[in-house]
Amino acid sequence: MIEEAETDVAAKVTARDRVRAAARRLHPTDRDALLIWFASRASVWVVAGAVGLLFATSDGGVVPLLDRWQQWDYHHFRGIALDGYGGEPTGVPNEAFFPGFPALLAFGNALGIPHVVVGLLVSLVAGGAAAVALARLGDLEGGPGTGRLAVLLWVFAPPAVFLAAPYTESLFLGFAIPAWLCARQGRWAPASLLTAAACTVRVSGVFLLAAIVVEWLTSRHERNWSDVPWLLPPAAVLGAWTIYLWRSTGDWLAWLHAQAQEWNRDFTLPWDALSHTWNAAFCRSSGGMLCVGDEVGGGLSPGFAWMFRAEMVAMVIGAALTVALFVWRRWGDATWVGLQVIAFGTSFWYFSVPRATLLWWPLWIALAVVAVRRRWVLWAYLSLSAPLMALWAAAFLTGRWAG
């Protein structure tokens, strides 16, 4: 018995020492980034706990805490984890969603963990990795201290609830920001492999791959043609996904067509896309004085109209950021943001653009650079963004449309 006790104590001490050793290997900026990340997660969970009391069900009951996170796209991810890409269990073509995140939900559930818990844990861990990479990238781009502020601005962005939700944003960024950090350092092999992983999660991986190629072509690091094969793994992943869709559906562009069918993401001329979004945001009724053009999208409920107004604000931010990045000759960053802005701006209407701002790390680094020099920018941003974040989180957690 004594020997067993001594063995248990030794094992605990060894594990504790390993944790401490790992913490010592972290740079102070990394530790600060993780502290900011986990503290902000606590803030989101405070909102998650409060909305159950503030927004009771129609019969006076309280929605269970985990159920509050099971909203909108989560049901599609869970449906794919349960039934794959056949049968359309959620009533929409599942090909609209990439397989990386649902595969993790299925794997965790096979271990006996509920899908929603797996999704929350994936977002928590992957988001922590993204926060550390963003802090390092911020210091690389803007100097010491920039990275911490970039993480702080990012986690308190208005739509930041999606970084905590069982959605794909955190998982994608957990691969994408480290990939970009490696690319900026001229480390093309890890950049390629991380980009390939990101390509399994979201279609945004296509834009990331394009940005990586541009970054390689314009890099200040010495280019070596032996690095070119490292640009192939992400393309191979996307090619394999396309071939799978063709073999299962007979359609090479099944993802694109599924998006067009259910979310109106068919190609639209930019001025028509703006007109449709404007009417969805401001058109009061058919023939109302704020309607323009053919009045498509008018008469939506206030709960949807306010989101379309946020879509327009996010598009203005994205367009301005793209122009600024080109002026600063940040060609890779401009490609990353600009391609997304073009894609959003040529859909039927602007859709999910505020969520996409979470993926625009050049935005958070640029704001951090300004905030380092003018601290009032930080306080002005937080005074506006923090309450909006709480409002956005409450809307999502109560099943209201939040983008």
Side-chain angles (χ1 to χ4, degrees), residues 180-206:
W180 194 252
L181 176 62
C182 290
R184 292 292 290 165
Q185 295 170 333
R187 300 163 55 209
W188 302 108
S192 171
L193 296 177
L194 288 164
T195 300
C199 287
T200 69
V201 181
R202 292 172 62 97
V203 72
S204 310
V206 176

mmCIF file of all heavy atoms in Angstrom, residues 180-206:
data_model
loop_
_atom_site.group_PDB
_atom_site.id
_atom_site.type_symbol
_atom_site.label_atom_id
_atom_site.label_comp_id
_atom_site.label_asym_id
_atom_site.label_seq_id
_atom_site.Cartn_x
_atom_site.Cartn_y
_atom_site.Cartn_z
ATOM 1 N N TRP A 180 -0.010 30.910 -41.729
ATOM 2 C CA TRP A 180 0.424 32.222 -42.206
ATOM 3 C C TRP A 180 1.676 32.691 -41.470
ATOM 4 O O TRP A 180 2.575 33.296 -42.081
ATOM 5 C CB TRP A 180 -0.694 33.237 -42.052
ATOM 6 C CG TRP A 180 -0.418 34.487 -42.833
ATOM 7 C CD1 TRP A 180 -0.068 35.711 -42.358
ATOM 8 C CD2 TRP A 180 -0.454 34.610 -44.250
ATOM 9 N NE1 TRP A 180 0.123 36.591 -43.393
ATOM 10 C CE2 TRP A 180 -0.108 35.936 -44.569
ATOM 11 C CE3 TRP A 180 -0.739 33.715 -45.293
ATOM 12 C CZ2 TRP A 180 -0.045 36.405 -45.879
ATOM 13 C CZ3 TRP A 180 -0.676 34.176 -46.594
ATOM 14 C CH2 TRP A 180 -0.333 35.504 -46.878
ATOM 15 N N LEU A 181 1.754 32.420 -40.195
ATOM 16 C CA LEU A 181 2.964 32.768 -39.434
ATOM 17 C C LEU A 181 4.178 32.057 -40.025
ATOM 18 O O LEU A 181 5.242 32.672 -40.209
ATOM 19 C CB LEU A 181 2.776 32.380 -37.968
ATOM 20 C CG LEU A 181 3.984 32.585 -37.041
ATOM 21 C CD1 LEU A 181 4.379 34.056 -36.964
ATOM 22 C CD2 LEU A 181 3.673 32.049 -35.645
ATOM 23 N N CYS A 182 4.038 30.773 -40.334
ATOM 24 C CA CYS A 182 5.147 30.025 -40.944
ATOM 25 C C CYS A 182 5.508 30.604 -42.308
ATOM 26 O O CYS A 182 6.695 30.706 -42.654
ATOM 27 C CB CYS A 182 4.766 28.554 -41.084
ATOM 28 S SG CYS A 182 4.653 27.661 -39.516
ATOM 29 N N ALA A 183 4.492 30.978 -43.088
ATOM 30 C CA ALA A 183 4.762 31.555 -44.403
ATOM 31 C C ALA A 183 5.521 32.871 -44.281
ATOM 32 O O ALA A 183 6.463 33.137 -45.041
ATOM 33 C CB ALA A 183 3.451 31.762 -45.161
ATOM 34 N N ARG A 184 5.137 33.699 -43.324
ATOM 35 C CA ARG A 184 5.825 34.983 -43.123
ATOM 36 C C ARG A 184 7.260 34.772 -42.666
ATOM 37 O O ARG A 184 8.116 35.639 -42.862
ATOM 38 C CB ARG A 184 5.070 35.825 -42.104
ATOM 39 C CG ARG A 184 3.710 36.305 -42.573
ATOM 40 C CD ARG A 184 3.819 37.308 -43.696
ATOM 41 N NE ARG A 184 4.361 38.572 -43.228
ATOM 42 C CZ ARG A 184 4.839 39.531 -44.008
ATOM 43 N NH1 ARG A 184 4.897 39.330 -45.309
ATOM 44 N NH2 ARG A 184 5.298 40.656 -43.505
ATOM 45 N N GLN A 185 7.539 33.630 -42.078
ATOM 46 C CA GLN A 185 8.900 33.309 -41.636
ATOM 47 C C GLN A 185 9.679 32.534 -42.692
ATOM 48 O O GLN A 185 10.836 32.166 -42.462
ATOM 49 C CB GLN A 185 8.839 32.502 -40.339
ATOM 50 C CG GLN A 185 8.263 33.268 -39.160
ATOM 51 C CD GLN A 185 7.989 32.392 -37.954
ATOM 52 O OE1 GLN A 185 7.736 31.182 -38.092
ATOM 53 N NE2 GLN A 185 8.029 32.966 -36.769
ATOM 54 N N GLY A 186 9.052 32.271 -43.838
ATOM 55 C CA GLY A 186 9.717 31.532 -44.895
ATOM 56 C C GLY A 186 9.802 30.045 -44.639
ATOM 57 O O GLY A 186 10.616 29.357 -45.266
ATOM 58 N N ARG A 187 8.963 29.512 -43.773
ATOM 59 C CA ARG A 187 8.953 28.079 -43.455
ATOM 60 C C ARG A 187 7.802 27.440 -44.235
ATOM 61 O O ARG A 187 6.705 27.270 -43.738
ATOM 62 C CB ARG A 187 8.800 27.887 -41.950
ATOM 63 C CG ARG A 187 9.927 28.522 -41.143
ATOM 64 C CD ARG A 187 9.553 28.690 -39.675
ATOM 65 N NE ARG A 187 9.132 27.419 -39.087
ATOM 66 C CZ ARG A 187 8.259 27.327 -38.086
ATOM 67 N NH1 ARG A 187 7.694 28.426 -37.596
ATOM 68 N NH2 ARG A 187 7.954 26.150 -37.594
ATOM 69 N N TRP A 188 8.097 27.068 -45.481
ATOM 70 C CA TRP A 188 7.037 26.694 -46.405
ATOM 71 C C TRP A 188 6.488 25.300 -46.164
ATOM 72 O O TRP A 188 5.310 25.047 -46.437
ATOM 73 C CB TRP A 188 7.543 26.846 -47.834
ATOM 74 C CG TRP A 188 7.994 28.242 -48.099
ATOM 75 C CD1 TRP A 188 9.265 28.681 -48.256
ATOM 76 C CD2 TRP A 188 7.159 29.403 -48.176
ATOM 77 N NE1 TRP A 188 9.289 30.040 -48.438
ATOM 78 C CE2 TRP A 188 7.998 30.522 -48.391
ATOM 79 C CE3 TRP A 188 5.780 29.621 -48.091
ATOM 80 C CZ2 TRP A 188 7.520 31.804 -48.525
ATOM 81 C CZ3 TRP A 188 5.291 30.906 -48.214
ATOM 82 C CH2 TRP A 188 6.158 31.972 -48.431
ATOM 83 N N ALA A 189 7.295 24.396 -45.657
ATOM 84 C CA ALA A 189 6.803 23.039 -45.418
ATOM 85 C C ALA A 189 5.691 23.018 -44.369
ATOM 86 O O ALA A 189 4.583 22.519 -44.640
ATOM 87 C CB ALA A 189 7.955 22.115 -45.029
ATOM 88 N N PRO A 190 5.915 23.554 -43.156
ATOM 89 C CA PRO A 190 4.802 23.570 -42.196
ATOM 90 C C PRO A 190 3.648 24.456 -42.643
ATOM 91 O O PRO A 190 2.483 24.156 -42.353
ATOM 92 C CB PRO A 190 5.449 24.090 -40.903
ATOM 93 C CG PRO A 190 6.695 24.778 -41.327
ATOM 94 C CD PRO A 190 7.157 24.047 -42.548
ATOM 95 N N ALA A 191 3.963 25.539 -43.360
ATOM 96 C CA ALA A 191 2.885 26.398 -43.863
ATOM 97 C C ALA A 191 1.972 25.618 -44.790
ATOM 98 O O ALA A 191 0.742 25.735 -44.736
ATOM 99 C CB ALA A 191 3.475 27.601 -44.591
ATOM 100 N N SER A 192 2.561 24.787 -45.639
ATOM 101 C CA SER A 192 1.784 23.993 -46.583
ATOM 102 C C SER A 192 0.925 22.955 -45.873
ATOM 103 O O SER A 192 -0.268 22.797 -46.176
ATOM 104 C CB SER A 192 2.731 23.304 -47.568
ATOM 105 O OG SER A 192 2.035 22.374 -48.363
ATOM 106 N N LEU A 193 1.511 22.237 -44.936
ATOM 107 C CA LEU A 193 0.770 21.179 -44.252
ATOM 108 C C LEU A 193 -0.375 21.749 -43.417
ATOM 109 O O LEU A 193 -1.470 21.175 -43.358
ATOM 110 C CB LEU A 193 1.721 20.362 -43.381
ATOM 111 C CG LEU A 193 2.811 19.597 -44.148
ATOM 112 C CD1 LEU A 193 3.749 18.889 -43.180
ATOM 113 C CD2 LEU A 193 2.191 18.602 -45.127
ATOM 114 N N LEU A 194 -0.125 22.891 -42.772
ATOM 115 C CA LEU A 194 -1.189 23.534 -41.993
ATOM 116 C C LEU A 194 -2.290 24.066 -42.902
ATOM 117 O O LEU A 194 -3.476 23.997 -42.564
ATOM 118 C CB LEU A 194 -0.602 24.665 -41.150
ATOM 119 C CG LEU A 194 0.243 24.214 -39.953
ATOM 120 C CD1 LEU A 194 1.088 25.372 -39.421
ATOM 121 C CD2 LEU A 194 -0.642 23.657 -38.843
ATOM 122 N N THR A 195 -1.916 24.593 -44.053
ATOM 123 C CA THR A 195 -2.911 25.050 -45.022
ATOM 124 C C THR A 195 -3.746 23.884 -45.530
ATOM 125 O O THR A 195 -4.964 24.003 -45.704
ATOM 126 C CB THR A 195 -2.227 25.768 -46.196
ATOM 127 O OG1 THR A 195 -1.494 26.891 -45.709
ATOM 128 C CG2 THR A 195 -3.246 26.249 -47.217
ATOM 129 N N ALA A 196 -3.093 22.753 -45.767
ATOM 130 C CA ALA A 196 -3.822 21.559 -46.198
ATOM 131 C C ALA A 196 -4.859 21.148 -45.152
ATOM 132 O O ALA A 196 -5.998 20.790 -45.492
ATOM 133 C CB ALA A 196 -2.850 20.413 -46.464
ATOM 134 N N ALA A 197 -4.478 21.207 -43.882
ATOM 135 C CA ALA A 197 -5.429 20.890 -42.815
ATOM 136 C C ALA A 197 -6.582 21.887 -42.804
ATOM 137 O O ALA A 197 -7.751 21.508 -42.630
ATOM 138 C CB ALA A 197 -4.712 20.877 -41.467
ATOM 139 N N ALA A 198 -6.274 23.181 -42.993
ATOM 140 C CA ALA A 198 -7.322 24.208 -43.020
ATOM 141 C C ALA A 198 -8.292 23.967 -44.175
ATOM 142 O O ALA A 198 -9.488 24.257 -44.060
ATOM 143 C CB ALA A 198 -6.690 25.593 -43.137
ATOM 144 N N CYS A 199 -7.791 23.416 -45.291
ATOM 145 C CA CYS A 199 -8.632 23.166 -46.458
ATOM 146 C C CYS A 199 -9.663 22.072 -46.208
ATOM 147 O O CYS A 199 -10.608 21.931 -46.990
ATOM 148 C CB CYS A 199 -7.770 22.799 -47.660
ATOM 149 S SG CYS A 199 -6.862 24.191 -48.375
ATOM 150 N N THR A 200 -9.518 21.291 -45.156
ATOM 151 C CA THR A 200 -10.523 20.281 -44.827
ATOM 152 C C THR A 200 -11.686 20.861 -44.025
ATOM 153 O O THR A 200 -12.691 20.182 -43.824
ATOM 154 C CB THR A 200 -9.911 19.128 -44.003
ATOM 155 O OG1 THR A 200 -9.556 19.601 -42.688
ATOM 156 C CG2 THR A 200 -8.673 18.561 -44.693
ATOM 157 N N VAL A 201 -11.539 22.114 -43.575
ATOM 158 C CA VAL A 201 -12.495 22.680 -42.622
ATOM 159 C C VAL A 201 -13.492 23.634 -43.276
ATOM 160 O O VAL A 201 -14.689 23.580 -42.999
ATOM 161 C CB VAL A 201 -11.745 23.407 -41.488
ATOM 162 C CG1 VAL A 201 -12.727 23.997 -40.470
ATOM 163 C CG2 VAL A 201 -10.780 22.455 -40.791
ATOM 164 N N ARG A 202 -12.984 24.522 -44.126
ATOM 165 C CA ARG A 202 -13.835 25.552 -44.736
ATOM 166 C C ARG A 202 -13.368 25.807 -46.164
ATOM 167 O O ARG A 202 -12.193 25.602 -46.499
ATOM 168 C CB ARG A 202 -13.753 26.884 -43.967
ATOM 169 C CG ARG A 202 -14.342 26.888 -42.583
ATOM 170 C CD ARG A 202 -14.011 28.202 -41.876
ATOM 171 N NE ARG A 202 -14.580 29.348 -42.548
ATOM 172 C CZ ARG A 202 -15.733 29.929 -42.189
ATOM 173 N NH1 ARG A 202 -16.432 29.438 -41.176
ATOM 174 N NH2 ARG A 202 -16.179 30.977 -42.844
ATOM 175 N N VAL A 203 -14.276 26.330 -46.977
ATOM 176 C CA VAL A 203 -13.888 26.733 -48.322
ATOM 177 C C VAL A 203 -12.893 27.887 -48.285
ATOM 178 O O VAL A 203 -12.182 28.138 -49.259
ATOM 179 C CB VAL A 203 -15.141 27.115 -49.146
ATOM 180 C CG1 VAL A 203 -15.709 28.440 -48.670
ATOM 181 C CG2 VAL A 203 -14.808 27.172 -50.642
ATOM 182 N N SER A 204 -12.814 28.584 -47.159
ATOM 183 C CA SER A 204 -11.829 29.651 -47.006
ATOM 184 C C SER A 204 -10.413 29.145 -47.241
ATOM 185 O O SER A 204 -9.510 29.931 -47.528
ATOM 186 C CB SER A 204 -11.929 30.256 -45.595
ATOM 187 O OG SER A 204 -13.251 30.581 -45.273
ATOM 188 N N GLY A 205 -10.215 27.827 -47.132
ATOM 189 C CA GLY A 205 -8.902 27.265 -47.426
ATOM 190 C C GLY A 205 -8.454 27.539 -48.851
ATOM 191 O O GLY A 205 -7.250 27.641 -49.119
ATOM 192 N N VAL A 206 -9.409 27.676 -49.781
ATOM 193 C CA VAL A 206 -9.061 28.017 -51.161
ATOM 194 C C VAL A 206 -8.393 29.389 -51.206
ATOM 195 O O VAL A 206 -7.369 29.589 -51.869
ATOM 196 C CB VAL A 206 -10.317 27.994 -52.051
ATOM 197 C CG1 VAL A 206 -9.984 28.452 -53.465
ATOM 198 C CG2 VAL A 206 -10.944 26.604 -52.057
#
